[in-house]
């Protein structure tokens, strides 16, 4: 059996430059893996017929072929034309649909675990399988810190920063990713302009979705974080998760406690280095 951690991601920078013919958007993002994680226990054996048994400790998630973990297993087996009995147990800790890449990271961890067992893939193979599963899956496969472009799937590793402490907090309400992109299209006139691509924002901590996904709790969480010595705060992905960066573990712990006290889910975590 292989145990694999699926780390959450935060977007340290996220801008959208254009809308593409395939309906996706070109983005420029710096993504960072953090220690908040799901844990997957995976066992797999060659067999005459493929059987996938998925157990997740969160009943809100489906465990059939609609689940991205299930799809990842099928993609891996089909890519190598092999059949296997696969058992996966998932301990889910990353909040679902929060902009933290939990589903993508589970998919990436599944691919890493299966390849630990079967040892068939090159890094390039895994990235090719990953991209079919979702725009953020290639980044989650590599982890660490990276510049992600295209629809997010073109991943260029960046040097790891010194260990950084973050608090991630989540309030009420959420906007689905497709809906957030549709709202952006409306606000930015489908990114149509006479002088080509929209110029990227020249600001170090920026998320274009922050003002689009304008939920009350986002500004309230940011305010609490800033009052408690956050160096900066930013929404992650298309939200609603917000993270704050803190100068050390102690100040992050204090902010986490205060956010809990104010009724928010809050998670103290730190940056993690790349997996591959
Ligand atoms: O790739 P993924 O399945 O995560 O994307 C989910 C949805 O988010 C897409 O169907 C699309 O509506 C939107 N999206 C986008 N541009 C991106 C990534 C996602 O428009 N770069």
């Amino acid at each position: 059996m292989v145990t694999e951690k699926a780390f959450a991601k935060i977007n340290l920078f996220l801008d959208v430059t254009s809308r593409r013919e395939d309906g996706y958007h070109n983005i420029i993002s710096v993504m960072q893996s953090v220690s908040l994680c799901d844990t997957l226990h995976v066992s797999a054996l060659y067999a005459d017929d493929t059987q996938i048994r998925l157990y997740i400790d969160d009943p809100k998630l489906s465990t059939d072929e609609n689940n991205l973990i299930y799809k990842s297993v099928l993609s891996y087996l089909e890519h190598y034309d092999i059949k296997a009995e696969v058992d996966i147990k998932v301990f889910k800790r990353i909040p679902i649909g929060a902009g933290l890449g939990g589903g993508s990271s589970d998919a990436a961890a599944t691919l890493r675990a299966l390849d630990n067992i079967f040892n068939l893939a090159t890094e390039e193979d895994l990235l090719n399988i990953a991209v079919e599963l979702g725009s953020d899956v290639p980044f989650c496969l590599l982890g660490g810190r990276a510049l992600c472009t295209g629809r997010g799937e073109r991943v260029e590793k960046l040097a790891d920063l010194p260990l950084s402490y973050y608090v991630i907090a989540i309030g009420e309400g959420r906007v689905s990713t497709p809906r957030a992109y549709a709202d952006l299209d409306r606000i930015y006139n489908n990114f149509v302009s006479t002088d080509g691509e929209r110029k990227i924002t020249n600001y170090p901590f920026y998320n274009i979705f922050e003002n689009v996904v304008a939920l009350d709790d986002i500004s309230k969480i940011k305010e609490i974080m800033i009052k408690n010595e956050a160096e900066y705060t930013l929404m992650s992905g298309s939200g609603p998760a917000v993270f704050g960066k803190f100068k050390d573990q102690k100040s992050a712990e204090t902010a986490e406690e205060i956010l809990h006290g104010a009724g928010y889910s809050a998670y103290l975590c730190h940056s993690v280095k790349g997996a591959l």
Side-chain angles (χ1 to χ4, degrees):
M1 190 182 72
V2 169
T3 297
E4 195 70 42
K5 284 183 175 171
F7 294 109
K9 64 88 183 148
I10 53 177
N11 299 81
L12 300 177
F13 179 90
L14 173 55
D15 206 354
V16 175
T17 53
S18 59
R19 188 173 193 279
R20 304 162 23 146
E21 302 232 316
D22 62 6
Y24 283 90
H25 294 73
N26 285 314
I27 68 163
I28 295 180
S29 184
V30 177
M31 298 196 202
Q32 170 72 60
S33 309
V34 291
S35 54
L36 172 63
C37 67
D38 298 336
T39 304
L40 282 76
H41 298 299
V42 180
S43 50
L45 281 173
Y46 284 106
D48 291 336
D49 284 306
T50 290
Q51 272 197 38
I52 302 167
R53 287 177 290 265
L54 182 57
Y55 163 85
I56 309 180
D57 69 346
D58 184 335
K60 286 195 288 298
L61 291 170
S62 73
T63 52
D64 57 16
E65 64 279 1
N66 295 311
N67 185 291
L68 199 57
I69 296 172
Y70 197 105
K71 289 182 185 166
S72 307
V73 176
L74 284 180
S75 296
Y76 184 91
L77 298 180
E78 277 166 17
H79 190 91
Y80 295 102
D81 200 17
I82 59 171
K83 294 191 166 114
E85 279 193 28
V86 181
D87 282 279
I88 304 186
K89 266 191 181 162
V90 184
F91 297 92
K92 194 80 201 152
R93 295 296 170 267
I94 305 172
I96 300 160
L100 298 169
S104 304
S105 193
D106 290 345
T110 302
L111 296 180
R112 283 199 305 268
L114 286 177
D115 203 57
N116 249 321
I117 295 166
F118 292 116
N119 222 337
L120 298 168
T122 59
E123 183 175 316
E124 200 186 336
D125 275 350
L126 283 188
L127 286 168
N128 287 334
I129 301 171
V131 75
E132 300 296 325
L133 294 164
S135 307
D136 292 345
V137 184
F139 167 76
C140 292
L141 204 52
L142 301 173
R145 190 172 72 111
L147 176 65
C148 304
T149 55
R151 62 179 169 99
E153 90 288 9
R154 281 168 43 195
V155 182
E156 196 182 310
K157 293 180 199 179
L158 297 174
D160 287 310
L161 295 173
L163 184 70
S164 310
Y165 289 93
Y166 298 100
V167 176
I168 297 172
I170 296 158
E172 291 295 319
R174 70 195 39 189
V175 172
S176 76
T177 303
R179 166 77 199 283
Y181 273 103
D183 288 348
L184 264 193
D185 284 338
R186 221 181 29 253
I187 292 167
Y188 289 89
N189 191 26
N190 286 325
F191 295 87
V192 177
S193 76
T194 46
D195 56 352
E197 287 220 327
R198 179 174 168 270
K199 286 198 180 59
I200 71 158
T201 303
N202 184 19
Y203 185 71
F205 311 114
Y206 178 77
N207 181 343
I208 190 172
F209 288 105
E210 227 178 40
N211 294 321
V212 175
V213 182
L215 299 166
D216 283 350
D217 277 341
I218 292 173
S219 45
K220 286 183 190 157
I221 289 168
K222 290 176 75 117
E223 207 174 295
I224 296 175
M225 287 178 170
I226 296 285
K227 257 192 206 151
N228 288 280
E229 292 182 44
E231 292 173 343
Y232 62 86
T233 65
L234 199 63
M235 192 179 82
S236 185
S238 54
V242 174
F243 65 90
K245 160 133 181 3
F246 291 83
K247 73 171 189 303
D248 54 26
Q249 187 169 352
K250 198 167 170 298
S251 58
E253 274 169 9
T254 306
E256 185 201 23
E257 272 170 33
I258 290 169
L259 284 158
H260 272 156
Y264 296 108
S265 305
Y267 308 85
L268 168 62
C269 54
H270 57 79
S271 54
V272 297
K273 294 185 176 176
L276 284 184

